[in-house]
Amino acid sequence: LMINRLSIILLCLSTLIFSQSIQSMIPDLSNEEIEQLKIQLQNNKPLSKSDTTIGIQKNTPQVVSVKSTSVNPDSRYFGYSFFTRNIDFFDNIPTPANYKLGPGDEIILSLWGDVNSRENFVINKEGLIFYQNIGFINLSNKSIPEAEDLLKEKLSQIYSSLQTGKNTSMLRLELGKLKSINVYFTGQIKTPGINLIHPFSDVFTAIVQAGGVKLTGSLRNVQLIRNGQIVETFDFYNFFLGGTNDFSEIKILDGDVINIPVNSSRVQILGEVINPGFYEFKKGDVISNVIEYSGGLKGTASTNALLQKIIPSEIRSSEDTPN
């Protein structure tokens, strides 16, 4: 009996000493921080060092849960679904006015009036077509209106009514089958390497045709490279959030490279915002920018926010303090 009592006394003393030693090692924590620590320990899933979590609280007190930031293919990651479309681009894009003809393009030449004919030509590798009784005509790198003017000039040698003031003969040029262009995709694209792309494409529609961007890719630093030089860098958040289209005027050319860098900075926003989820942030962004990206605060949001971030390993003072 004495031994049992002694064992109980020793157990109580050891528990008291252990709890005091733990308290001396851990600084004072608020109730919310203790609850968060419990949740993280229970989940046993560390946060990525490149991620930050913002929790917008309700007016009524609640515990803000910090969730794992492991990448999952779902809609919580803003912007990636914009590129996930199944569209036959060769049937849905009208011919732009500044489109330049090139090898592989099929053209349809129509004449009516004093002369009536309709013929198809495919521009050869040298950018030429052959017209009976005239010879080769170079249409390479010409727009449709420019090619029409050239053909009127050449064909007037055998159809004089094309150039008379009465215009008794008319000429019209149309595009038939189009050539695809070869575009190279590098970085965090779903189908890296060379892809056949519609010739009217801009960088946005080109990425759609290549299958979209991986969740590891940046949507705010997309690079268009031509002849070894970065022609333009695109931030698609301007389009996703405000409808600002700053990419359609720059057409993709054969042999261009589209590079999708790795997304190295991402923030998760939770709680009382309209669209909680993961958002990419750039240098200079602040919390108010992220709240704006998420659609703004709900009416139930309080003036308090909980910010948790992971300190990169290279600037940590200790491995015991990652956040």
Side-chain angles (χ1 to χ4, degrees):
L1 182 61
M2 288 293 295
I3 293 174
N4 289 337
R5 288 180 178 177
L6 182 59
S7 298
I8 293 172
I9 293 170
L10 289 174
L11 179 61
C12 293
L13 287 173
S14 62
T15 302
L16 177 62
I17 293 169
F18 179 76
S19 64
Q20 289 176 345
S21 64
I22 291 295
Q23 282 186 331
S24 65
M25 292 170 62
I26 301 177
D28 292 336
L29 298 175
S30 66
N31 290 334
E32 288 184 351
E33 290 172 327
I34 292 172
E35 290 298 322
Q36 290 173 38
L37 183 58
K38 287 180 181 178
I39 293 170
Q40 291 186 45
L41 291 173
Q42 290 170 358
N43 291 338
N44 195 28
K45 294 181 180 179
L47 297 173
S48 169
K49 69 177 184 178
S50 63
D51 289 334
T52 301
T53 301
I54 302 169
I56 305 298
Q57 297 178 313
K58 282 187 176 180
N59 279 320
T60 54
Q62 69 167 20
V63 174
V64 179
S65 172
V66 180
K67 299 182 180 179
S68 168
T69 57
S70 57
V71 175
N72 295 313
D74 60 36
S75 59
R76 294 179 300 157
Y77 295 84
F78 176 75
Y80 296 90
S81 61
F82 281 81
F83 298 100
T84 307
R85 297 289 184 272
N86 185 16
I87 299 174
D88 189 346
F89 280 86
F90 281 79
D91 293 334
N92 289 278
I93 301 180
T95 305
N98 59 350
Y99 177 71
K100 302 294 184 181
L101 296 171
D105 281 336
E106 180 188 48
I107 58 171
I108 304 170
L109 178 60
S110 301
L111 294 168
W112 69 96
D114 289 346
V115 180
N116 292 284
S117 67
R118 185 174 174 86
E119 298 180 79
N120 293 28
F121 301 89
V122 176
I123 300 175
N124 67 16
K125 294 179 180 179
E126 287 72 41
L128 308 172
I129 64 168
F130 182 83
Y131 197 90
Q132 191 70 29
N133 298 326
I134 293 180
F136 287 102
I137 303 173
N138 188 351
L139 299 179
S140 180
N141 206 33
K142 289 182 171 55
S143 66
I144 296 296
E146 291 171 343
E148 281 186 344
D149 290 340
L150 177 62
L151 288 169
K152 285 179 182 179
E153 177 186 341
K154 295 292 185 181
L155 269 62
S156 64
Q157 299 173 19
I158 53 177
Y159 305 122
S160 58
S161 57
L162 283 171
Q163 293 283 39
T164 62
K166 295 182 180 179
N167 289 330
T168 53
S169 291
M170 305 294 290
L171 180 149
R172 182 178 179 182
L173 191 64
E174 304 170 75
L175 276 175
K177 295 180 180 178
L178 298 171
K179 68 180 186 302
S180 298
I181 59 175
N182 298 311
V183 177
Y184 299 88
F185 290 84
T186 58
Q188 305 305 301
I189 194 79
K190 289 185 178 178
T191 54
I194 192 167
N195 282 267
L196 293 176
I197 301 299
H198 191 286
F200 302 165
S201 299
D202 52 44
V203 66
F204 183 90
T205 54
I207 292 173
V208 173
Q209 292 168 80
V213 180
K214 294 180 181 178
L215 291 179
T216 50
S218 171
L219 302 180
R220 307 192 66 184
N221 190 30
V222 177
Q223 299 167 339
L224 175 61
I225 302 170
R226 184 172 296 162
N227 299 323
Q229 302 293 324
I230 296 177
V231 175
E232 192 66 62
T233 300
F234 301 94
D235 181 350
F236 284 114
Y237 270 33
N238 295 329
F239 177 59
F240 298 155
L241 297 168
T244 302
N245 184 342
D246 55 0
F247 51 81
S248 287
E249 293 301 317
I250 303 177
K251 297 300 178 185
I252 304 299
L253 302 181
D254 193 78
D256 280 352
V257 176
I258 296 175
N259 181 52
I260 312 291
V262 171
N263 178 350
S264 59
S265 299
R266 178 176 280 147
V267 59
Q268 182 186 20
I269 185 164
L270 302 171
E272 300 306 295
V273 292
I274 294 174
N275 296 307
F278 293 91
Y279 295 85
E280 183 177 354
F281 66 93
K282 297 174 70 173
K283 185 177 180 180
D285 278 354
V286 295
I287 292 178
S288 60
N289 296 127
V290 181
I291 294 174
E292 180 183 353
Y293 300 157
S294 68
L297 301 174
K298 292 182 180 178
T300 53
S302 75
T303 57
N304 297 321
L306 175 65
L307 173 66
Q308 180 164 342
K309 61 183 178 179
I310 304 302
I311 302 172
S313 58
E314 61 271 15
I315 61 173
R316 294 177 189 172
S317 59
S318 170
E319 285 301 318
D320 296 330
T321 57
N323 54 19

